[in-house]
Amino acid sequence: MVREQEGSPGGRNLLEFWHRRPETALAIAIGAMAVAGLVLRLVELAERPLHHDESLDAWYSWKFLEGTYEGYDPVYHGPLRFYLTGGVFWAFGESHTTARLVSVLAGVGLIVLPWFLRRSLGPVATLTASAVLAFSPIALYMTRLGREDALIALITLAMMVVIVRFMDRPLLMFPSLLGFLLAAGFAVKETTFIVLFIFGSFFLALLAEQAFSGATGTDFSGPSGGRSRGATPPNPGTRGGSTGWSWMLPAGLVPMGVAYVVSSLFDLEIFITLGIYGILLVAAVWAPAGFRAIGGLPTVRIVRSVPFWGWMLAAAVFLVFFALWFTVFFTQMDGFWDGFTEGITYWRGEQSTNRGGEPWYYYLYTVPLYEYLVCALGVIGSVHVFRNPTFTGKFMVWTAGASWLSYSWAAERFPWLTLHLLVPMSFLAGYGIQVLWQARSWVGTRLNGLRRAGTCLAGVVLLGLLVTTLYTSYTANYVNQRDPRELLTQVHTTHEYVSTVQRIEALDEYSRSIDEGPVTVAIDVAMGVPNLWYFRDYEALTWVSANSASPPTADFVLHLPSNNVLESLPDPGLYQTTRLPLRDWWAPQFSSYHDGWFSGWANWLVDREVWNDSVLGSSDFDLSVSHRALNLESRMAATG
């Protein structure tokens, strides 16, 4: 590390302070963004009703706190976030805010993590990556959502940081830390299998490049394009000892194409396809180097620099924490084996269902419509990495590209998965800003007046894109945060439903205060979500179905329109029934572009005007209220 010059914030301006004490300035800037990011994620956090999956996560977390959690079920992903959210409930109580607090803190963690890559990225790229993860529309929205995706994105980025730091300086602690993070990833979500595929394919392609290049000499300074132990850090963007792309891209892409063609011709399942791809990648490593020479490849030498017992310790760390979380702290031992088998079995079965029904190109329009600035800068950054390959740059390009391919290929495509595409893209955007920042001095000294004016115009355009991106982030997160016309919004519970819950709770409190007993509630079993959460500790609750032996006699009955649980009543007029939206939604049907491709999206971008409002609808429920409840409400209203 270069010693910082003495100085203080009392310099003439911020740029002077940045130049005199760069690491301190960078730490202050990222710290300020982390604080701002925390505030932005907490503001109005409770305003949006809990989304379908959020209510399930909150309910299971509450069950863990109550001691009734049954253990790992792959349908609802890994158990770790239930433990964490349950701890938050224990410390701060149960609410919309606390149900989302783990995601908020994970979002703040995402802002901070680029700091640990500052020596590989450089200050400008580091600062940009943190800014994207702090303020961009997708990053802000998905880390205000109480699902597991913010947490698994944090774990994934932490693994990326550990890998880069290990390849730069293979300290003994890094393998054990990676084992811990890997166990945490599996204990949060099955997308960890995708992450392993992406990382594994990268390293096999990197080995193939090193084997082809014959980069086995002792002068190799490390695949980060960086340093050997104790050496001076390289300038970001220099080649250092990193090999290029001449064999890495063919080694990665050609086997992928072959595996896809074979899979299509013989209708193979996804795991056989991935197996073919892996075998071909291994062959790409072995063919140019031979078996004996593989041990001398730079990446393999770095791995071998850690003693065998260090890797055994890492495996033990993984197994201990994996067992701890999947067995619910060693109380349900069957969970250990289930953690290895049930998750992958469930995910494998889901590949044929295409839940959500979105097309393979879903992310190709969803991400750019919100993150157009990040996408543009990411392209610039990717070109820079291709021209100036370093380990970190190649790792980010590969992870970003493979994430787009993997999540587009996987059967389930949902808006919350866009966060996993954005994380590596934020670093490519950082490289893009770094290129533009470095180009500013060249522009100032070498271009004539006309070209300089064109460059200034490009700067104005860039500033305009930044302003509109921040405005989009504001509207998506605070103005339209549960508006179904936002593509980031899906299966959100309506305010009408939450108002119904509040209506029942208020009437129950009034009824008890005048000694008329509780207000009873009956809920259709087909409406388990989100009622399991919202009525989790409601005493006077019964669950009913259309097949129940006797009709419900509760004060309030919530049921699906298709399951009229009141139809067997001798006098259905005993209830006043109102149909209300439970969850509303909009899916942009691309077959409805009859009014024009550009005009439809242009109107949506400006004011979220949908071009096919015929599919702007909702999933509804019927609220049936008894005469007793209506009478109680009249009396409560009369008392003010």
Side-chain angles (χ1 to χ4, degrees):
M1 169 179 166
V2 179
R3 178 182 293 275
E4 294 185 4
Q5 300 178 22
E6 294 297 324
S8 68
R12 288 181 297 177
N13 52 52
L14 292 176
L15 283 178
E16 179 183 351
F17 178 58
W18 181 280
H19 287 302
R20 296 181 68 183
R21 305 196 64 174
E23 288 225 344
T24 301
L26 183 61
I28 292 172
I30 292 179
M33 283 194 291
V35 173
L38 176 62
V39 172
L40 288 173
R41 283 156 176 78
L42 290 176
V43 170
E44 297 187 3
L45 187 62
E47 291 300 309
R48 186 175 64 236
L50 288 186
H51 156 297
H52 175 282
D53 294 1
E54 286 183 295
S55 68
L56 281 170
D57 283 13
W59 183 62
Y60 277 110
S61 301
W62 174 77
K63 284 173 67 69
F64 172 71
L65 182 62
E66 294 292 304
T68 59
Y69 176 57
E70 297 89 352
Y72 171 60
D73 184 341
V75 176
Y76 307 110
H77 306 301
L80 179 56
R81 72 196 189 282
F82 303 147
Y83 309 151
L84 296 175
T85 303
V88 173
F89 287 167
W90 176 81
F92 303 108
E94 304 145 27
S95 67
H96 284 183
T97 298
T98 53
R100 293 169 171 146
L101 195 55
V102 169
S103 290
V104 167
L105 296 177
V108 176
L110 285 172
I111 300 169
V112 173
L113 277 178
W115 161 262
F116 297 97
L117 295 177
R118 64 193 183 281
R119 297 175 188 175
S120 299
L121 296 171
V124 175
T126 301
L127 199 62
T128 302
S130 290
V132 169
L133 296 172
F135 308 120
S136 76
I138 289 176
L140 186 55
Y141 193 96
M142 297 309 166
T143 55
R144 287 165 49 87
L145 189 68
R147 279 181 49 89
E148 69 280 353
D149 291 280
L151 185 57
I152 193 62
L154 175 69
I155 293 169
T156 301
L157 181 54
M159 285 195 283
M160 294 169 68
V161 169
V162 169
I163 289 171
V164 171
R165 296 288 295 268
F166 174 78
M167 298 302 289
D168 184 53
R169 192 175 184 185
L171 300 178
L172 186 61
M173 68 175 180
F174 288 135
S176 293
L177 184 55
L178 190 61
F180 170 81
L181 292 170
L182 190 59
F186 281 118
V188 172
K189 196 174 186 182
E190 293 76 16
T191 49
T192 304
F193 289 111
I194 294 179
V195 173
L196 284 180
F197 164 73
I198 292 171
F199 292 173
S201 63
F202 169 78
F203 275 102
L204 284 174
L206 178 65
L207 288 172
E209 173 65 38
Q210 293 174 352
F212 181 79
S213 303
T216 58
T218 56
D219 60 337
F220 183 81
S221 60
S224 60
R227 54 183 177 176
S228 58
R229 298 190 184 188
T232 303
N235 293 324
T238 59
R239 286 181 181 272
S242 178
T243 53
W245 294 96
S246 58
W247 183 251
M248 188 172 180
L249 283 181
L253 297 179
V254 172
M256 182 183 299
V258 172
Y260 181 79
V261 170
V262 172
S263 175
S264 300
L265 289 175
F266 296 97
D267 194 24
L268 303 177
E269 67 168 83
I270 186 170
F271 286 99
I272 296 178
T273 305
L274 294 177
I276 294 173
Y277 178 52
I279 291 171
L280 292 175
L281 268 178
V282 171
V285 177
W286 177 80
F291 181 76
R292 292 185 178 180
I294 290 176
L297 296 178
T299 297
V300 177
R301 294 210 317 269
I302 289 175
V303 172
R304 293 173 61 187
S305 67
V306 174
F308 179 75
W309 67 264
W311 291 106
M312 290 298 98
L313 177 62
V317 168
F318 169 79
L319 290 173
V320 167
F321 282 99
F322 188 92
L324 181 73
W325 292 322
F326 277 97
T327 63
V328 194
F329 302 95
F330 303 115
T331 62
Q332 301 181 29
M333 299 308 295
D334 290 345
F336 179 74
W337 185 247
D338 290 344
F340 283 108
T341 61
E342 294 300 317
I344 193 68
T345 301
Y346 173 76
W347 185 71
R348 174 185 176 187
E350 287 296 299
Q351 296 311 299
S352 60
T353 62
N354 190 19
R355 270 197 316 149
E358 300 293 355
W360 64 267
Y361 49 83
Y362 172 73
Y363 300 114
L364 291 177
Y365 66 83
T366 302
V367 175
L369 284 170
Y370 286 93
E371 304 290 355
Y372 38 84
L373 178 57
V374 172
C375 289
L377 293 173
V379 170
I380 297 174
S382 298
V383 172
H384 168 75
V385 172
F386 273 97
R387 297 179 63 183
N388 304 274
T390 65
F391 175 82
T392 305
K394 292 162 70 171
F395 190 34
M396 295 302 172
V397 168
W398 188 280
T399 302
S403 295
W404 278 83
L405 289 172
S406 299
Y407 285 99
S408 297
W409 186 24
E412 295 187 9
R413 305 174 190 96
F414 289 107
W416 42 84
L417 296 176
T418 57
L419 180 62
H420 307 301
L421 310 183
L422 180 69
V423 169
M425 286 173 57
S426 66
F427 293 91
L428 299 182
Y431 283 120
I433 286 291
Q434 180 175 280
V435 169
L436 297 178
W437 179 258
Q438 292 173 342
R440 80 194 191 287
S441 58
W442 184 84
V443 169
T445 57
R446 301 193 181 187
L447 294 185
N448 59 34
L450 182 60
R451 291 184 178 179
R452 194 175 300 174
T455 304
C456 291
L457 178 61
V460 171
V461 171
L462 185 65
L463 179 62
L465 291 175
L466 174 61
V467 171
T468 56
T469 296
L470 293 175
Y471 177 74
T472 298
S473 188
Y474 165 72
T475 55
N477 283 280
Y478 305 106
V479 179
N480 302 332
Q481 58 177 306
R482 64 150 310 282
D483 191 322
R485 294 172 297 178
E486 290 286 352
L487 295 178
L488 301 182
T489 299
Q490 199 169 86
V491 295
H492 267 296
T493 306
T494 63
H495 285 293
E496 288 87 347
Y497 168 81
V498 175
S499 297
T500 298
V501 176
Q502 294 169 345
R503 173 186 176 185
I504 293 171
E505 290 175 340
L507 189 61
D508 179 67
E509 182 178 354
Y510 172 75
S511 180
R512 292 175 185 271
S513 70
I514 61 174
D515 297 324
E516 292 200 14
V519 169
T520 56
V521 178
I523 300 179
D524 185 353
V525 293
M527 276 186 64
V529 182
N531 290 298
L532 287 168
W533 163 255
Y534 281 99
F535 289 95
R536 62 192 176 280
D537 52 5
Y538 195 87
E539 295 179 1
L541 173 67
T542 58
W543 293 91
V544 297
S545 70
N547 299 322
S548 297
S550 59
T553 57
D555 296 312
F556 288 86
V557 182
L558 287 69
H559 57 98
L560 295 181
S562 58
N563 295 343
N564 187 358
V565 299
L566 300 176
E567 63 183 357
S568 59
L569 281 174
D571 183 7
L574 295 173
Y575 284 88
Q576 182 184 93
T577 299
T578 306
R579 185 156 296 175
L580 298 171
L582 177 62
R583 286 181 285 270
D584 45 16
W585 43 266
W586 172 62
Q589 304 295 321
F590 290 92
S591 59
S592 63
Y593 276 142
H594 303 301
D595 295 330
W597 169 278
F598 294 106
S599 63
W601 278 120
N603 291 335
W604 181 86
L605 281 170
V606 172
D607 58 10
R608 294 305 188 254
E609 177 185 340
V610 302
W611 61 83
N612 53 340
D613 54 8
S614 61
V615 295
L616 184 61
S618 63
S619 301
D620 300 331
F621 74 101
D622 282 348
L623 173 65
S624 299
V625 186
S626 70
H627 289 310
R628 174 181 180 268
L630 293 172
N631 178 265
L632 275 171
E633 286 187 315
S634 298
R635 291 154 58 191
M636 183 173 67
T639 62

